[in-house]
Amino acid sequence: MYYRYRQRIIDMDTKRISKTIEDILNRQVRKEAEAAQIFLSYAIWADDQGYEGVANLLFRHSGEERDHMMKVIEYIQNRGGKAKITALNAPPADPKNLKECFERLFKHEVENTTSIYGIVNLAQEEKDWATWNFAQWFVKEQIEEETLVMDLLDKLKIAGGPDATDESLLLLDSQLEQHNDEADMARDADVENP
Ligand code: FEO
């Protein structure tokens, strides 16, 4: 993050991303921050409902979304742009049940994938191969994230879907607690290795 200092002492325009790339990346900063808040609010809802396994998974995932935000901020700054921190939309109302919770999370991840593809497309259009390369990390990450939520939906279906009993939902919850390593989560992550 010493780019600004370098830029000042050499006194020339060393900005290496266009305004359009800077803007789309800043929109992604906001999306990742909003995702962190959405996961956090669902984690609190799950904890309140007694689903501790789901809550732990979502709390950790919220941290992962924040790491994504930091990764984009660091890239913007290192390329001579300026990251922006803006007001965020409030998370949606609590889901009615686990099925709605997981379905909304899946929809959210798919929307985020579309947003990442937008960055890849723009980078390609501008022949900004550094940004294109940077965005590839997120393309791969989105595959993992969609898979994680699809897996949750599958597990819920196996537990009985709309007819799942309280017992089977609690069993699913405790399985998630025991098998939380299935998802590569935020506990060991940092900006370098989110
Ligand atoms: Fe940062 Fe869930 O994508």
Side-chain angles (χ1 to χ4, degrees), residues 124-143:
Q124 174 133 349
E125 213 175 281
E126 295 194 8
K127 296 186 169 40
D128 177 350
W129 304 120
T131 299
W132 187 92
N133 187 54
F134 168 75
Q136 293 309 306
W137 183 91
F138 284 88
V139 170
K140 185 165 168 285
E141 179 71 3
Q142 282 307 118
I143 296 171

Side-chain angles (χ1 to χ4, degrees), residues 39 53-54 56-62 64-65 68 101-103 105-107 109 140-156 172 176 179-187:
F39 276 90
V54 175
N56 286 342
L57 189 146
L58 296 178
F59 276 125
R60 285 198 309 280
H61 200 91
S62 170
E64 187 163 337
E65 297 296 352
H68 295 168
C101 176
F102 294 166
E103 282 174 351
L105 292 178
F106 182 67
K107 190 164 171 274
E109 289 298 350
K140 185 165 168 285
E141 179 71 3
Q142 282 307 118
I143 296 171
E144 285 179 23
E145 302 223 330
E146 287 183 13
T147 303
L148 168 74
V149 189
M150 273 189 251
D151 198 37
L152 291 177
L153 283 164
D154 283 347
K155 283 187 165 66
L156 189 59
L172 166 66
L176 288 177
H179 296 288
N180 56 29
D181 286 345
E182 283 175 1
D184 186 15
M185 290 304 197
R187 63 198 168 282

Side-chain angles (χ1 to χ4, degrees), residues 14-31:
T14 52
K15 187 170 177 177
R16 299 290 290 134
I17 47 174
S18 69
K19 177 77 171 63
T20 48
I21 290 285
E22 185 180 45
D23 287 347
I24 201 169
L25 289 174
N26 269 317
R27 285 199 291 279
Q28 192 62 33
V29 167
R30 179 180 171 156
K31 279 180 204 299

